[in-house]
Amino acid sequence: MPRTSHPRQPLRALAALALLASALSAHAEANWPTRTITLIVPGAAGGSTDIPARLLAQKLGQRLGQPVIVDNKPGAGGSLGASLVARAQPDGYTVLVGNSGSNAINYTAYKKLSYKPGDFAPLTDMISFANVLVVPAKSPIQSLDALVAAAKAQPGKLSFSSAGVGQTTHLMGELFKERTGTDVVHIPYKGSAPGTMAIVTGETQFMFDNMTASLVHIKDGKLRPLAVTGDQREPDLPEVPTMTELGMRNFNQVGWMGFFVPAKTPPEVQKKLAENLQAVLHDPDIMRRYRELGGRPGGMPQAGFAKLVADDQQTWGALIQSQQLQLD
């Protein structure tokens, strides 16, 4: 007579398999990392996100005892690289070097986006860059008040350049327009370099330029700085006041870059990765190199960075909606 299996046996086998899988997963988390970690940079090689990421990758690899490589995935305003990480295996081996564009601005600027805020777990910030409000050195405008007065006296006549639609250099100008109630014209360029040269040559009348792009022209006497964004003055321009100091409330946004992993990455792996990133970012050599790039070194606690990201999503989202700015 053929033997019949007990009805509970398949259930017991499944339970055993589940326990084994759980044990293997816990072991993998406890021993992370055991292989190469990939930093996905959603921008071109040699760009403002790529350079600080490569400086960090080598020291992070030395600290973790595993290779850390940078993989550039430019395109669609950072959306291509971000979407790849959103769909990646949540195991701590694929990390997004996101920025205020890919992980704050894009959620409202693009109607069709293949990822959402909940797809990521923020870890820590890498570096931040203030924007500096500049005018050509030959401009008669000597202050923020004078710029606002000129814009109000000549509606639709003053223009500001940017590195492209949806970039922080663009949105800072839109924020200025909204806060001052002025009618100024946005002139987008294909990248930071031509946008900066437009203000240097006087093609446009003002710009909220990236600090790194403008600083050399300020020191050469080709641009006049009127104010900086951010909540504190910049070490390279200690005499230049912040927009807040000059009475422009809630105008302290900066462009930031930081690290994200897929949301379902185990908390223990997130914690290990965040702590090691923070340790590298507080390394004196990395801090010095980042300051030489014109930026402020990051390394804030995971909860603090998550709040920064959420706040910028709300701030830029409200501005994009109020100005009816869409990138697709």
Side-chain angles (χ1 to χ4, degrees):
M1 186 173 181
R3 295 180 63 186
T4 57
S5 61
H6 193 281
R8 291 183 179 273
Q9 285 180 343
L11 293 177
R12 287 172 179 167
L14 287 173
L17 286 172
L19 284 171
L20 177 61
S22 178
L24 289 173
S25 176
H27 178 76
E29 291 169 27
N31 289 279
W32 179 95
T34 58
R35 55 186 173 87
T36 299
I37 296 168
T38 300
L39 304 181
I40 300 292
V41 170
S48 58
T49 305
D50 179 74
I51 293 172
R54 289 183 185 276
L55 289 173
L56 174 136
Q58 183 179 6
K59 284 190 177 287
L60 181 63
Q62 291 170 353
R63 183 177 177 85
L64 293 174
Q66 295 293 338
V68 178
I69 64 172
V70 173
D71 188 7
N72 298 90
K73 297 293 183 183
S79 299
L80 177 60
S83 63
L84 287 173
V85 177
R87 298 192 301 269
Q89 192 72 20
D91 52 15
Y93 292 99
T94 305
V95 182
L96 173 67
V97 189
N99 54 60
S100 46
S102 63
N103 291 84
I105 293 169
N106 284 1
Y107 295 120
T108 312
Y110 289 91
K111 290 181 180 178
K112 298 178 181 178
L113 201 62
S114 58
Y115 60 93
K116 58 187 183 300
D119 291 334
F120 302 99
L123 298 178
T124 189
D125 58 324
M126 177 174 70
I127 191 171
S128 61
F129 296 95
N131 288 78
V132 54
L133 172 59
V134 290
V135 297
K138 295 180 180 179
S139 170
I141 296 171
Q142 301 282 334
S143 67
L144 174 61
D145 285 345
L147 175 62
V148 174
K152 289 185 174 180
Q154 307 171 70
K157 297 295 184 182
L158 270 62
S159 62
F160 69 94
S161 49
S162 80
V165 176
Q167 301 293 317
T168 54
T169 50
H170 168 208
L171 295 183
M172 288 291 183
E174 295 291 346
L175 193 60
F176 169 86
K177 181 178 177 179
E178 181 189 63
R179 296 285 166 78
T180 59
T182 52
D183 178 12
V184 291
V185 180
H186 172 224
I187 308 294
Y189 289 82
K190 294 182 178 179
S192 178
T196 300
M197 287 311 299
I199 189 70
V200 169
T201 60
E203 288 179 27
T204 55
Q205 284 69 59
F206 70 99
M207 181 181 185
F208 284 92
D209 201 7
N210 292 322
M211 177 70 72
T212 48
S214 269
L215 192 58
V216 63
H217 301 296
I218 292 170
K219 294 191 179 296
D220 286 346
K222 296 176 182 177
L223 290 176
R224 178 184 302 126
L226 304 182
V228 294
T229 64
D231 56 8
Q232 56 188 308
R233 294 193 182 197
E234 289 298 310
D236 287 317
L237 298 172
E239 75 286 356
V240 179
T242 66
M243 294 289 286
T244 303
E245 284 180 75
L246 296 176
M248 197 71 69
R249 63 179 184 82
N250 299 328
F251 211 111
N252 57 359
Q253 271 69 34
V254 296
W256 49 260
M257 298 153 197
F259 300 96
F260 300 79
V261 288
K264 293 183 179 180
T265 302
E268 184 59 31
V269 173
Q270 288 188 40
K271 183 173 182 289
K272 283 185 181 179
L273 184 51
E275 287 176 349
N276 280 281
L277 284 166
Q278 289 157 14
V280 172
L281 287 161
H282 290 128
D283 179 279
D285 183 51
I286 288 291
M287 294 178 74
R288 176 182 59 81
R289 300 288 294 276
Y290 280 13
R291 289 194 184 103
E292 288 172 354
L293 292 173
R296 290 186 179 274
M300 66 172 61
Q302 192 170 3
F305 181 52
K307 184 178 186 305
L308 170 66
V309 173
D311 287 349
D312 267 17
Q313 288 170 7
Q314 183 175 3
T315 298
W316 291 130
L319 177 68
I320 290 165
Q321 289 178 334
S322 71
Q323 300 299 304
Q324 298 182 334
L325 305 173
Q326 289 298 147
L327 303 186
D328 58 359

